[in-house]
Amino acid sequence: MTLNRLLPCLTLLALAAFAWSGSDYYTGLAVKIMIYAVFALSLQLLVGGAGLVSLGHAAFFGIGAYAAALLSPASEAGSLWWLLPAALLAAAVYALITGALALRTRGVYFIMVTLAFAQMAYYVFHDTKAGGGSDGIYLYFRPQADIGGWRPFDLDQGATYYCFVLACLALTWGFLALLRRSPFGAALAGIRINEQRMRAAGYSTYPYKLAAYVIGAALAGLAGFLFALKDGFVTPELLAWEQSGLVLLMVILGGMGSLGGAVLGTAALVLLQELFQSQALFGDYARHWHLPLGLAIIALVALLPDGLAGLPAQWRRRRARRDAPAASPPAPLRLPLPGEPHA
C-alpha cells in the first residue's frame, strides 16, 4: 500500500482512537477540525478540481445548519434520516439556482457574484425572523437514527457523535477520491487546466462546472448540519463572507492540489487559532491573536508555495539539488596567437 493510501487510513484510525481520550476539550477540538475539514473538502472540489475560486461557499454551510435547526421539532428529537438529506438538498438547491447564473461569469467576476449571492442569503437570515434574526436559533435536540422503534446509535452520546462526524469525514474523503479518478473528475481537471481546449475537444464545460458546484454545496451543507448538531446553536455569522474566506484559506494553506491538503490546512489553521488565543501561553496578549495568526499565515504561504501537502516534494527537490554533482566549469576560451593556425 502506497503512502498516499496508507496515510488517510492511519489518520482515521488515530482520530477514532482519540474519541475515548477522556478530555472534553481536546475531543471537542477534534470534532471542530473534522467538521471544518468536510467544509474545506467541499470547497477543494471547486478550487482544486475545477479551478473555480468561490468567495460565497459559506452560504451553503449556513443553509445546511439552518435547515437542521428550522426543520427539527421544538419539543422532541427529529429523524436523522430525513433531516440530513433535507439539509444537503437545501444547500444543493440554492447552489443550483445561484450557480446557474454565477457560472456564466469567469475569474474575478465569478468571485464577486458568489460573494453577492452569499451576502443575500446572509441578510435573509440576519434581517428577518425566519431564523431568529441576528440572535440566531437553538437546536434543542439532536436528531436520532430511529428505524421502526429501533435506535442503532444515539447521537446524544459524545463518543457516538464523534464517530458519526468521523464517518462523515471518511465518506466525504472517499467519495471525492473516487470522483477525482472518474471520467467526471478527469473532465474537471481538464477544465481547470485549459477550458478552451476542452471546448475545442467537444466538451460542454458548463454542465460539468454546475454539477461540481452543486456537489460541493451539498457537502458544505453536510458540514453545516454537523456544526449545528455540535453546538446546538446557529447564527447568521455562519453565512458571512469571513467564513468563506476562512475555508478558502484552509484550502490554500494545505495545498489546492490534494484532498489531504484541505484536511492538513484545516487542522493547521484551527490549531493556530487555538494556540494564539491561549491565555495560559500569551496572557493578555491573547486578545490580539489576529496579529500573530496573520503573520504565521504569511510565513507559511511564503515558505510553502505548494502548501503543507507539498512539503515532502519540496524537501525532495531541495535534497536533489543539494546532492546533485557540481557541473564542471567550461574550459576557458583561448584565442589563437598571431601566426598560430586556427583550430
Side-chain angles (χ1 to χ4, degrees), residues 3-47:
L3 181 61
N4 291 335
R5 295 182 179 181
L6 184 61
L7 187 58
C9 297
L10 294 177
T11 302
L12 293 175
L13 289 175
L15 288 172
F18 196 74
W20 288 272
S21 63
S23 173
D24 293 337
Y25 170 76
Y26 291 110
T27 303
L29 182 60
V31 168
K32 180 180 179 180
I33 291 174
M34 289 189 292
I35 292 175
Y36 273 101
V38 175
F39 191 20
L41 285 171
S42 69
L43 182 60
Q44 200 278 336
L45 173 64
L46 301 182
V47 178

Side-chain angles (χ1 to χ4, degrees), residues 283-305:
D284 292 337
Y285 292 102
R287 294 178 299 175
H288 311 289
W289 62 273
H290 293 88
L291 177 60
L293 177 64
L295 294 175
I297 292 173
I298 293 173
L300 287 173
V301 171
L303 296 175
L304 303 173

